[in-house]
Amino acid sequence: MNLKFIVAYDGSSYLGSQKQPNKNTIEDELLKAFKTLNIDTSIVLSGRTDKEVHATGQVFNCVIPDFWTDFFKLQEILNKRLPSSIQIRHIVKVNEDFHSRFHAKKRVYRYIITTKPTTPFNDKFITFVKSVDEKLLKEAIKEFIGVYDFKYFHKTGSDKDVTIREIFETAFYKHKDIYVFKFVANSYLRSQIRLMVGFLLAINDKRLTIEDLKKQLNCEKNLFKTPIKANGLYLAKIKY
């Protein structure tokens, strides 16, 4: 029986979502929880999140024995056996050919910042900036919408040779006392969002301009090469 799981996690203490040899990852912890129930399975994640990146709506699918018919009970048991930093939010039965990664149409990420100094209780989950020019950032983030070659917006080590991606939607907005960068795309390159947000904040600080952003998007100049910290980045939703 093929099941789709929606999972949230605090990625601050993990070396990413995907299983790696001798590494502490989200997938490792999920597999450990399944094994305590004598479920020997493999997990297909919708996509990879890097070290210290969080998720509120990561998706994975796996095959488990058919006698597990009470999904609410399965969710409850798994959550008791998972670390408090990982939580199964929903389980649903899907077609046998459903593939969390290959069937995903859109991936929604959010990066959150604040102008209030962080504390030991939220420092792992939000990035502090001194000031925000909301009007300028709303204008600048729109430049990412469309199909571009993002070869200047990714770190080496991306698992795909093709660096062209399509971003369908962007937004920058305030929610209570935080500010949110939102991106919706088909897929992303390694550290792409962190480089995009870093560039936008450089524009916010008047170190770069929107014209500079256009030049880097058009692969004319590589003006910004340092990804912002991972702590403010969240995989929010997968759309199928």
Side-chain angles (χ1 to χ4, degrees), residues 104-122:
K105 302 297 184 185
K106 296 179 180 179
R107 294 168 169 86
V108 182
Y109 274 86
R110 291 185 175 93
Y111 194 99
I112 61 175
I113 60 174
T114 180
T115 55
K116 294 183 177 181
T118 57
T119 72
F121 306 103
N122 69 0

Side-chain angles (χ1 to χ4, degrees), residues 144-158:
F144 287 110
I145 298 174
V147 179
Y148 290 101
D149 185 345
F150 284 96
K151 71 177 183 179
Y152 291 159
F153 284 94
H154 80 99
K155 288 178 67 176
T156 57
S158 295

Side-chain angles (χ1 to χ4, degrees), residues 43-95:
I43 288 173
V44 178
L45 290 162
S46 68
R48 178 189 302 174
T49 55
D50 291 336
K51 177 183 176 182
E52 299 178 357
V53 175
H54 314 296
T56 56
Q58 171 72 282
V59 175
F60 71 89
N61 71 284
C62 66
V63 176
I64 71 168
D66 290 344
F67 61 79
W68 283 100
T69 56
D70 189 339
F71 299 152
F72 292 105
K73 186 67 174 178
L74 176 61
Q75 178 180 340
E76 181 182 29
I77 295 173
L78 284 172
N79 281 334
K80 287 180 179 179
R81 302 188 183 201
L82 284 165
S84 59
S85 51
I86 304 173
Q87 183 183 74
I88 304 295
R89 300 183 65 187
H90 188 62
I91 304 174
V92 63
K93 184 178 180 180
V94 289
N95 293 333

Side-chain angles (χ1 to χ4, degrees), residues 4 7 30 33 53 55 62 66 74 111 123 130-131 163 170 182 185 191-192 194 203 214 218 226:
K4 180 176 80 170
V7 59
L30 290 168
V53 175
C62 66
D66 290 344
L74 176 61
Y111 194 99
D123 185 65
K130 291 182 179 179
S131 63
T163 53
T170 63
K182 178 183 176 182
S191 296
Q192 179 182 337
R194 291 167 57 200
I203 293 174
K214 291 178 181 179
N218 292 321
T226 306

Side-chain angles (χ1 to χ4, degrees), residues 202-215:
I203 293 174
N204 178 74
D205 297 339
K206 310 302 188 288
R207 292 181 284 125
L208 292 168
T209 67
I210 292 178
E211 288 304 312
D212 291 329
L213 175 57
K214 291 178 181 179
K215 289 177 183 178

